Amino acid sequence: MDARIFLASGFVALAAIAGVLIVASEPDKPAPASLAEAKLAQPAPKPAAKPPVPAKDEPFVIKRILPIKGAIKYGEWHWNEHDVPPGPIVVTVDLEARVISVFRGGYEIGAAAVLLGTADKPTPLGIFPITQKDKDHVSNIYTGAPMPYMQRLTNDGITLHGSDVALGYASHGCVGMPDAFAAKLFDTTKIGDKVYITKGKQVGMGDSLIGG
């Protein structure tokens, strides 16, 4: 046999053997998964968290009234928080009695005679949250009048603030109180505390005002 034919036959045989070895050495590749199978393999999305349910206002029940004898006179104020536990602050203003009262957790801790608005510019009735506090506020409506310990109730200028409380004086609708009392009230309240302004509503032990 021709040596070249024998050599070529040998190369062909070696190539065939090498091809078999290569094919045998490759691991079987899994068939690609379908799109549906890929989606099923993914972890299920977590359900969206439910928004928290806001707490409802609890009834405000009066548990103590300061032992004040007689009507509070202009310029007079009282404050006593001895042994009063922590609790939410509620402020009430009675336009008929012209008195402001401060309650902590239902216990009255402060009371004072106040100045109120006139028939032309009355102090409004309602429930108002405190929206702003400014210890050294100066009015930008009434020619720079000082309004120390200001606590805003409405966007049109109705506030709680320190004032010279005297017979014959009035405000432009604000609730004015003696400066020393206004300072204590300012240090006691926070933004969001509610002020109830009523007319002739008498409150006593066990009475309830529902938050609104």
Side-chain angles (χ1 to χ4, degrees), residues 130-148:
I130 296 170
T131 59
Q132 180 190 1
K133 298 177 62 156
D134 184 356
K135 182 179 178 181
D136 301 308
H137 187 71
V138 175
S139 175
N140 54 5
I141 299 176
Y142 302 111
T143 62
M147 300 169 65

Side-chain angles (χ1 to χ4, degrees), residues 108-189:
E108 188 179 33
I109 60 175
V114 292
L115 292 182
L116 301 170
T118 63
D120 293 335
K121 295 183 178 179
T123 301
L125 297 170
I127 303 173
F128 306 93
I130 296 170
T131 59
Q132 180 190 1
K133 298 177 62 156
D134 184 356
K135 182 179 178 181
D136 301 308
H137 187 71
V138 175
S139 175
N140 54 5
I141 299 176
Y142 302 111
T143 62
M147 300 169 65
Y149 307 105
M150 184 278 291
Q151 303 190 67
R152 186 174 302 282
L153 303 182
T154 70
N155 291 332
D156 59 353
I158 303 301
T159 69
L160 308 175
H161 64 80
S163 182
D164 182 9
V165 181
L167 182 62
Y169 286 21
S171 72
H172 293 280
C174 293
V175 178
M177 63 202 77
D179 287 347
F181 182 90
K184 284 185 170 292
L185 180 62
F186 188 92
D187 290 339
T188 300
T189 59

Side-chain angles (χ1 to χ4, degrees), residues 76-121:
E76 180 184 353
W77 61 276
H78 303 265
W79 195 278
N80 184 359
E81 53 188 306
H82 181 67
D83 290 336
V84 175
I89 297 296
V90 171
V91 180
T92 65
V93 178
D94 185 347
L95 302 186
E96 189 170 293
R98 305 181 74 85
V99 169
I100 185 171
S101 292
V102 187
F103 296 87
R104 175 184 290 146
Y107 294 83
E108 188 179 33
I109 60 175
V114 292
L115 292 182
L116 301 170
T118 63
D120 293 335
K121 295 183 178 179

